[in-house]
Amino acid sequence: VSPKEAQRFYPLFAYTSGFGPILAGQYVARYASLAPTFDGSIRRLTAAIALSGVMILFLNHSVTNYVAANESASTKSASKGKDGGAVKKSKPKMTAGESVKFLASSQYLRCLATLVISYGLMYNFTEISWKSLLKKKYPDALDYQRFMGNFSSIVGASTFAVIFCGSNLIKHLGWRIGSAATPLVMATVSIPFFIMLVFMDLSKQSVLGQAVSVGTALILLSRSFKYGMFDATTQMAYIPLDEESKVKGKAAIDVLGSRLGKSGASFVQQGLVLAFGNIINAAPVIGILYYSIAASWLSAVYTLGRLYESMTQSNPSTAARKGKRS
């Protein structure tokens, strides 16, 4: 698809992803968490996960066969070599070092990797603090599980609203505004959350309840905008790239970017827990790191938006060469 078509259709593709959290959340809240014991609820969850895995394998097998059957005729003539033999394309396999080197060679891919890493860091910084508050409010495992089930359903429902608004936002205001929406929302909603963590007495149940509510809103919006806006704009950013940068870059970012964001946040917070005793006491430091990353994220969005717009408005072959090297 072209970048213009992607602005309209990519956000809509994410609509189906909203059904998963809704169904899974209600299964947990209305069935798994109502088991007599926590062990019983785990068995119910395990059964649902196993069934879902079988369904995924079946659907993947069916879709793969369907696509292969429909494309075999058209790709057969296009993939002929000079000697008339079929040329089979293989996916590139890169080591971690090669992935880092490939990303470092392209300003476009560096900015794209910054977006992915920044989301992982910011989300995990706030999620761990939020869950530590949840455990204080819901010390019983089944109550905690029930809350998370209902929360998952709300995430799925809110994702629909974000996708609907996001598709129109990207269509009318462009990729850069759509991509900047996620960090701006996360940075804005997190302000009262960090204020409560740093300046208010969380030992009071009323204050704890308020902090949990604000944190829930923050995580809810972070996930909804991730599914409804961030994923769509990130995937759109690969479209103007040449085939090598598109395939190798996406592989490197998916492996290194997302994992580095999650593991990096966990590693930093483990060190903060050792230094401050618990994650809540380390909230001031986490807040400084959080907003530093947000600033870096927005800077990368601005740079990437300029490159993206220039590449999509120029000739595709010329655009690919412009974005490949810094």
Side-chain angles (χ1 to χ4, degrees):
V1 296
S2 67
K4 185 176 181 180
E5 292 172 330
Q7 291 181 1
R8 179 180 179 185
F9 293 111
Y10 268 47
L12 299 179
F13 292 158
Y15 261 120
T16 54
S17 66
F19 289 106
I22 294 176
L23 297 175
Q26 289 307 298
Y27 177 85
V28 172
R30 297 179 180 274
Y31 180 66
S33 64
L34 297 181
T37 63
F38 184 70
D39 290 343
S41 71
I42 293 298
R43 285 193 289 270
R44 294 181 180 185
L45 286 174
T46 303
I49 293 171
L51 178 60
S52 299
V54 173
M55 292 175 61
I56 290 172
L57 291 173
F58 173 76
L59 291 173
N60 180 71
H61 178 74
S62 300
V63 171
T64 300
N65 289 340
Y66 176 81
V67 172
N70 281 272
E71 290 187 347
S72 59
S74 59
T75 57
K76 185 175 181 181
S77 58
S79 61
K80 291 289 184 179
K82 292 182 179 180
D83 58 351
V87 177
K88 184 178 180 180
K89 295 182 179 180
S90 58
K91 293 184 178 180
K93 295 182 179 180
M94 298 185 294
T95 64
E98 291 172 339
S99 298
V100 172
K101 185 177 180 180
F102 188 80
L103 292 178
S105 68
S106 168
Q107 182 186 22
Y108 193 97
L109 291 176
R110 287 200 305 270
C111 290
L112 196 50
T114 300
L115 267 61
V116 176
I117 294 172
S118 296
Y119 175 83
L121 289 170
M122 289 179 64
Y123 177 80
N124 282 278
F125 277 149
T126 50
E127 185 191 40
I128 294 178
S129 299
W130 172 65
K131 285 186 175 180
S132 68
L133 297 178
L134 277 179
K135 291 179 180 179
K136 292 182 179 180
K137 185 175 181 180
Y138 300 103
D140 182 74
L142 291 176
D143 290 339
Y144 179 87
Q145 188 182 71
R146 193 173 300 111
F147 174 89
M148 293 302 296
N150 287 321
F151 173 76
S152 178
S153 295
I154 297 173
V155 169
S158 63
T159 300
F160 287 115
V162 174
I163 293 173
F164 177 78
C165 297
S167 61
N168 289 284
L169 181 68
I170 297 171
K171 180 180 178 181
H172 296 293
L173 299 181
W175 182 91
R176 187 183 300 183
I177 300 299
S179 184
T182 302
L184 287 174
V185 168
M186 292 176 68
T188 302
V189 182
S190 62
I191 293 175
F193 183 65
F194 280 111
I195 289 176
M196 290 184 172
L197 292 182
V198 176
F199 298 107
M200 301 185 73
D201 186 4
L202 297 174
S203 62
K204 298 179 179 179
Q205 287 300 313
S206 59
V207 176
L208 177 62
Q210 293 173 4
V212 168
S213 298
V214 173
T216 300
L218 171 60
I219 301 301
L220 172 65
L221 291 173
S222 298
R223 288 191 186 181
S224 299
F225 271 80
K226 197 267 183 186
Y227 300 141
M229 293 285 290
F230 180 76
D231 287 346
T233 53
T234 301
Q235 295 304 315
M236 287 170 59
Y238 290 105
I239 296 176
L241 294 172
D242 60 86
E243 192 64 24
E244 181 186 20
S245 296
K246 190 180 298 182
V247 176
K248 290 185 176 181
K250 190 175 189 309
I253 291 173
D254 286 347
V255 173
L256 294 178
S258 59
R259 293 183 181 179
L260 183 60
K262 294 178 181 179
S263 60
S266 299
F267 179 78
V268 170
Q269 290 183 95
Q270 286 176 3
L272 292 175
V273 168
L274 292 176
F276 291 90
N278 61 66
I279 199 64
I280 301 301
N281 292 339
V285 177
I286 294 176
I288 294 173
L289 294 174
Y290 187 88
Y291 284 101
S292 299
I293 296 167
S296 176
W297 185 352
L298 288 170
S299 176
V301 167
Y302 176 82
T303 303
L304 186 59
R306 177 171 49 82
L307 295 173
Y308 177 85
E309 290 169 2
S310 113
M311 292 171 70
T312 54
Q313 291 170 4
S314 61
N315 182 271
S317 59
T318 304
R321 290 193 297 270
K322 284 174 63 179
K324 188 174 180 182
R325 300 288 171 182
S326 57

